[in-house]
Amino acid sequence: MEKIITHQSNQFMLSEEELLTGLREGDRNVIKYIYTNYFPGISFFIQNNKGSEEDGRDIFQESLLILYQKAKNPLFNLSSSFYTYLFAISKNLWLKRLEKKRKLRVTFLEKEELMIVDELASDINRESQYRLFRKKFGELSTGCQEVLELFFNGTPMKEIAQKLNFGSVQYAKKRKFQCKEKLISLIRSDELYNELL
Amino acid sequence: MMEEKDKYDEIEAFLQQGEHAELKRKFQEDESFAKDVNLYKGLKIAINDKKAMAMESLFDEVEKELFPKKKTLRLRPLLLVAATVALLVVTLYNLQWFAAPSTEELFANYFEPYKLGFVDRGEANDSVIEEANYHYANQNFEEAAKAFEGLSTIDKTNQYYNFYLAISYIGNLESTKALPFLKEVLNSEQSDLHDPAEWYIAMAFLQDGQKDSAREQLMEITKKSSKFQQLAIQLLDEW
């Protein structure tokens, strides 16, 4: 592994391939490297374009997750630098949110960024949705999370009732229905969900 | 509620038997159904993606470690007090109106069928009672209600039949049918069933979405000592 000391951060510089592999494998050190080197720039861009510090954190994390999902495919190759990819995804996500909020667009995608965004268009929207679903799932009570996790995992209702010590299958079904209702209403009431549709 | 239940069952069926021609056509023609199916499908994928969940947690941890959120409260004391009061008001408002569980949730958390235990056979024959007991014990409330309806018709004055019939109705989500029977039990001389009947009236109101009536009923239960008193207090705490 080729490691070069950078001037700025006095740490090893990882190659694009190492970044992609590290991200794919969830290597904590690589993730720290990515955050250290790329988060400040992207967060600055968001905050400089009508976003808050929280928006910066949110968009960066979402972009990184989109890239992670792409990186899971061993056939995926970066056609530009890792940072250009990450920045293009972040910029695109943020511009879309600004548009939905009817705030003035202050910047546009460059040609290279447009190509990246076109390449990832369907992934970007889908992953944003999934991330929202997981976020809302995390807002449910632990009990509801347990029921739905088992249910969506394909566990039969009888087994769910036994595992969670419910008095009856009928009650387990009722609980599942209510938790699902709660989750769907949480999702639908989030303005981001309507923006993503 | 039943309509929604059917909708999800239909979506489940669509996902499991996507080739079913009628459902496939509905998916293509009914935009709202297609949207629901896609949402449901997305949920399944998102929640089962444990690796993505783990990555999100890892990102959170790294972010917190390297870029902890700044505490930027530099308000003057008076402004700080005003902001705190405003925050408190908003929080209380939210707790009161939005965070409170729905009547459906409360019902699901608190409804348990009353234990079977009556021996007074009256004029009914054993096999009908056994059938009613069997369905009730197995929480097959639709069949239990039918059997208790039969028993109640044979012996209208037997309050046990009326009581278990009412609970079967509630278990079968037909609370409006349950209420008259529970009130009859309450007005009868069968005093051992009075406390439970009061409790199940509250459950019936909850299941029927009559929040105010349920609350009023629960308040009444808290006033006297019974095995349901503590349950009522607990439930009202969650209100």
Side-chain angles (χ1 to χ4, degrees):
Chain A
M1 188 192 284
E2 190 193 359
K3 292 184 172 78
I4 306 161
I5 306 284
T6 64
H7 299 295
Q8 270 188 329
S9 54
N10 199 27
Q11 68 175 359
F12 292 118
M13 199 165 112
L14 300 177
S15 70
E16 310 295 338
E17 188 52 41
E18 285 166 342
L19 286 172
L20 215 51
T21 310
L23 178 63
R24 183 187 300 135
E25 291 170 357
D27 183 324
R28 195 184 183 91
N29 288 326
V30 173
I31 308 295
K32 278 170 99 167
Y33 178 96
I34 293 170
Y35 261 91
T36 306
N37 289 281
Y38 307 143
F39 173 69
I42 289 175
S43 176
F44 177 78
F45 168 80
I46 308 281
Q47 290 184 57
N48 218 23
N49 284 284
K50 299 181 184 297
S52 63
E53 190 196 332
E54 200 50 46
D55 291 326
R57 289 173 190 271
D58 195 44
I59 292 286
F60 185 81
Q61 198 176 110
E62 192 157 322
S63 308
L64 200 52
L65 194 75
I66 289 166
L67 208 45
Y68 158 74
Q69 296 286 20
K70 285 305 284 184
K72 280 201 299 189
N73 180 355
L75 297 175
F76 174 69
N77 277 316
L78 294 168
S79 54
S80 300
S81 75
F82 187 91
Y83 181 66
T84 307
Y85 255 83
L86 202 55
F87 190 73
I89 299 170
S90 300
K91 203 168 167 183
N92 176 258
L93 282 174
W94 183 238
L95 292 182
K96 273 174 140 181
R97 284 201 199 168
L98 279 181
E99 265 179 8
K100 298 277 183 184
K101 286 177 182 165
R102 295 175 188 207
K103 287 188 180 173
L104 193 65
R105 232 186 197 217
V106 286
T107 184
F108 297 91
L109 291 174
E110 306 290 337
K111 196 178 168 192
E112 191 184 11
E113 292 166 349
L114 268 174
M115 280 166 61
I116 292 171
V117 166
D118 280 348
E119 184 191 332
L120 302 178
S122 61
D123 302 277
I124 291 177
N125 206 43
R126 192 182 56 233
E127 285 310 322
S128 298
Q129 272 197 5
Y130 291 172
R131 185 165 172 258
L132 174 72
F133 293 168
R134 283 192 292 269
K135 195 174 153 195
K136 295 293 158 189
F137 178 72
E139 289 175 18
L140 293 174
S141 66
T142 318
C144 267
Q145 287 186 27
E146 283 174 344
V147 175
L148 290 185
E149 208 171 310
L150 288 167
F151 170 71
F152 281 128
N153 203 17
T155 311
M157 290 314 294
K158 197 177 170 188
E159 211 177 309
I160 294 178
Q162 281 168 350
K163 274 191 177 166
L164 301 181
N165 291 324
F166 289 147
S168 67
V169 175
Q170 197 190 19
Y171 179 73
K173 280 183 185 169
K174 208 185 302 171
R175 194 85 185 108
K176 175 210 72 178
F177 173 72
Q178 285 164 338
C179 294
K180 218 158 46 174
E181 273 292 277
K182 177 90 183 162
L183 176 58
I184 287 175
S185 87
L186 279 174
I187 291 170
R188 285 197 172 133
S189 60
D190 192 302
E191 60 174 18
L192 187 60
Y193 175 67
N194 296 313
E195 288 172 18
L196 290 170
L197 281 179
Chain B
M1 186 166 173
M2 289 307 285
E3 261 179 38
E4 287 291 301
K5 210 169 210 169
D6 290 341
K7 185 176 79 184
Y8 290 130
D9 289 346
E10 206 176 7
I11 291 172
E12 274 295 331
F14 178 79
L15 293 178
Q16 281 169 22
Q17 316 155 24
E19 298 307 312
H20 193 287
E22 200 183 323
L23 285 174
K24 210 170 175 180
R25 197 173 54 243
K26 188 172 179 186
F27 181 75
Q28 282 159 356
E29 289 169 2
D30 184 343
E31 199 186 333
S32 144
F33 179 68
K35 262 187 192 171
D36 284 337
V37 170
N38 286 332
L39 167 63
Y40 199 79
K41 219 157 105 181
L43 268 178
K44 261 188 163 175
I45 297 171
I47 292 168
N48 279 326
D49 193 347
K50 302 289 171 231
K51 280 187 181 169
M53 281 189 190
M55 286 304 278
E56 281 167 348
S57 302
L58 179 59
F59 295 163
D60 277 339
E61 284 170 26
V62 170
E63 188 193 289
K64 269 181 202 154
E65 186 186 329
L66 299 175
F67 302 98
K69 288 180 186 173
K70 293 174 211 154
K71 288 174 185 167
T72 51
L73 264 184
R74 286 182 197 153
L75 297 171
R76 277 179 288 179
L78 198 61
L79 266 177
L80 191 62
V81 171
T84 311
V85 170
L87 186 67
L88 194 66
V89 168
V90 169
T91 310
L92 286 175
Y93 180 84
N94 284 341
L95 279 176
Q96 175 103 23
W97 298 105
F98 296 110
S102 65
T103 49
E104 278 179 9
E105 281 171 317
L106 289 171
F107 172 75
N109 289 340
Y110 282 88
F111 173 72
E112 285 294 333
Y114 196 70
K115 62 179 190 306
L116 270 171
F118 68 95
V119 287
D120 183 2
R121 283 177 163 72
E123 293 166 20
N125 66 47
D126 283 356
S127 66
V128 186
I129 293 176
E130 270 169 27
E131 191 192 338
N133 282 352
Y134 173 79
H135 290 308
Y136 185 92
N138 285 294
Q139 301 199 18
N140 182 355
F141 294 118
E142 194 179 349
E143 291 304 316
K146 280 182 200 165
F148 280 118
E149 272 167 5
L151 288 168
S152 176
T153 314
I154 296 168
D155 187 355
K156 284 187 175 33
T157 57
N158 189 322
Q159 297 308 327
Y160 288 105
Y161 298 155
N162 291 335
F163 178 70
Y164 285 101
L165 171 60
I167 296 175
S168 301
Y169 281 143
I170 299 173
N172 201 33
L173 310 180
E174 296 177 297
S175 288
T176 41
K177 281 185 173 177
L179 283 166
F181 288 97
L182 288 169
K183 284 174 185 166
E184 196 178 324
V185 172
L186 208 53
N187 291 327
S188 74
E189 289 173 3
Q190 199 72 50
S191 59
D192 59 319
L193 290 179
H194 287 178
D195 290 340
E198 285 189 335
W199 171 253
Y200 285 101
I201 285 174
M203 290 293 107
F205 283 140
L206 272 185
Q207 199 265 299
D208 199 35
Q210 298 187 48
K211 203 169 183 177
D212 291 342
S213 303
R215 189 183 169 83
E216 211 173 294
Q217 180 70 16
L218 287 164
M219 296 293 279
E220 284 303 312
I221 297 170
T222 62
K223 286 177 193 164
K224 55 181 181 178
S225 169
S226 79
K227 62 178 273 195
F228 297 98
Q229 187 186 37
Q230 199 49 43
L231 267 178
I233 292 169
Q234 198 184 317
L235 200 159
L236 285 168
D237 274 348
E238 289 182 32
W239 206 263

